[in-house]
């Protein structure tokens, strides 16, 4: 149990275009999901906390107009990178927290975004 | 702000024991996690401590001292497949979100 599916696993896009990344909890309801980005050989940096039915909470320094987060249901959160630039190239990972669970966090498999 | 520190790199020998330390200075501490991450993959859960003391789980053990802001992950009987990045993460009490803040990560290399 506790599977989080993240799609796509890899995406290449042109500068100026937008890319949507999906994060789904397959066998549990996730009231809260988290979005991270990770640069090579670095740790995970939290970008935002996504709560079902409400606006996401962004970490300091993360542009909310550039990284649009939508958490429309208890099993789906999306991250849209708008007007992508090469510096947005990174590994993006989502994580879901199980509702009423003690402490469980499950991570998606990650999305490698390359902007050319 | 939140500050979570780990050594950047460590090297150990197959079959040996290695201890990876994590020190933290955070507000609203609500537990500490250890994750393993292989390059290009998602982190996988190893252990969780919320109370002081040692938690043992097979070849992996984790220790926490809340008063010292200190934790370590102990890996025994090292195998080549243990070569990976090890991430310490602190859970913070924040308006119900309980977000995880990750440390800098320790790249462990296991050699013959």
């Amino acid at each position: 149990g506790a599977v989080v599916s993240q799609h796509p696993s890899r995406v290449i896009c042109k500068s100026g275009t937008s890319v949507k990344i999906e994060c789904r909890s397959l066998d549990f309801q996730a009231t809260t999901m988290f979005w991270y980005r990770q640069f090579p050989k670095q740790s995970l940096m939290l970008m935002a906390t996504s709560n079902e039915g409400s606006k996401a909470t962004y970490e300091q320094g993360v542009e909310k107009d550039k990284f649009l987060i939508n958490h429309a249901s208890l099993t789906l959160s999306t991250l849209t990178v708008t007007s992508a630039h090469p510096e947005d190239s990174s590994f993006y990972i989502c994580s879901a927290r199980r509702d009423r669970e003690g402490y469980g966090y499950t991570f998606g498999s990650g999305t490698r975004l390359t902007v050319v | 702000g939140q500050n979570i520190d780990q050594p950047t790199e460590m090297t150990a020998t197959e079959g040996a024991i290695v201890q990876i330390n994590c020190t933290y200075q955070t507000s609203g501490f609500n537990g500490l996690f250890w994750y393993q991450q292989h390059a290009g993959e998602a982190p996988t859960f190893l252990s969780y401590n919320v109370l002081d003391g040692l938690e043992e789980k097979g070849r992996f053990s984790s220790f926490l001292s809340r008063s010292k802001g200190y934790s370590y992950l102990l890996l025994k009987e090292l195998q080549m497949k243990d070569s990976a990045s090890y991430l310490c993460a602190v859970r913070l009490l924040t308006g119900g979100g309980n977000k995880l803040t990750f440390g800098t990560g320790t790249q462990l290399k296991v050699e013959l």
Side-chain angles (χ1 to χ4, degrees):
Chain A
V3 177
V4 172
S5 172
Q6 188 171 340
H7 179 81
S9 58
R10 290 177 180 272
V11 59
I12 300 173
C13 70
K14 292 184 178 179
S15 288
T17 61
S18 295
V19 173
K20 180 185 283 189
I21 302 170
E22 292 188 348
C23 181
R24 293 180 185 273
S25 55
L26 298 185
D27 52 359
F28 67 99
Q29 293 183 329
T31 54
T32 305
M33 289 187 176
F34 305 90
W35 287 96
Y36 297 86
R37 69 185 296 181
Q38 185 176 33
F39 292 105
K41 297 189 178 180
Q42 294 189 23
S43 192
L44 278 71
M45 184 191 79
L46 180 65
M47 299 175 67
T49 301
S50 168
N51 294 297
E52 186 266 336
S54 64
K55 289 184 179 179
T57 303
Y58 289 82
E59 295 298 301
Q60 193 171 8
V62 178
E63 299 176 59
K64 61 181 181 181
D65 294 331
K66 180 167 186 61
F67 299 100
L68 300 179
I69 291 172
N70 183 277
H71 195 155
S73 76
L74 285 171
T75 59
L76 174 65
S77 176
T78 60
L79 167 67
T80 302
V81 183
T82 62
S83 187
H85 288 98
E87 57 264 33
D88 298 326
S89 298
S90 189
F91 192 53
Y92 293 87
I93 307 176
C94 69
S95 170
R97 186 170 72 95
R98 296 192 68 155
D99 194 25
R100 300 192 184 92
E101 190 77 0
Y103 53 81
Y105 297 83
T106 304
F107 286 83
S109 53
T111 298
R112 172 72 60 192
L113 170 63
T114 303
V115 185
V116 297
Chain B
Q2 320 297 345
N3 200 32
I4 304 171
D5 289 318
Q6 302 176 234
T8 306
E9 296 178 338
M10 296 184 73
T11 302
T13 305
E14 188 180 36
I17 299 173
V18 70
Q19 177 175 311
I20 302 174
N21 296 324
C22 172
T23 57
Y24 64 90
Q25 291 176 305
T26 63
S27 53
F29 176 86
N30 192 27
L32 187 143
F33 295 75
W34 283 95
Y35 287 88
Q36 180 192 64
Q37 186 182 28
H38 287 98
E41 299 180 10
T44 55
F45 172 78
L46 292 178
S47 70
Y48 169 70
N49 296 70
V50 66
L51 300 176
D52 291 352
L54 188 68
E55 293 284 338
E56 296 186 82
K57 207 174 180 182
R59 292 193 300 117
F60 297 87
S61 303
S62 58
F63 171 83
L64 175 67
S65 168
R66 289 171 296 171
S67 62
K68 295 182 179 178
Y70 168 69
S71 173
Y72 67 72
L73 178 70
L74 196 69
L75 292 77
K76 303 175 186 176
E77 301 169 16
L78 280 173
Q79 303 174 9
M80 297 299 287
K81 67 177 182 179
D82 295 329
S83 293
S85 181
Y86 290 85
L87 307 172
C88 162
V90 173
R91 184 167 65 163
L92 306 174
L93 278 172
T94 58
N98 282 265
K99 62 184 182 182
L100 291 182
T101 298
F102 282 82
T104 49
T106 299
Q107 188 66 44
L108 174 67
K109 183 179 179 182
V110 180
E111 299 178 328
L112 289 171

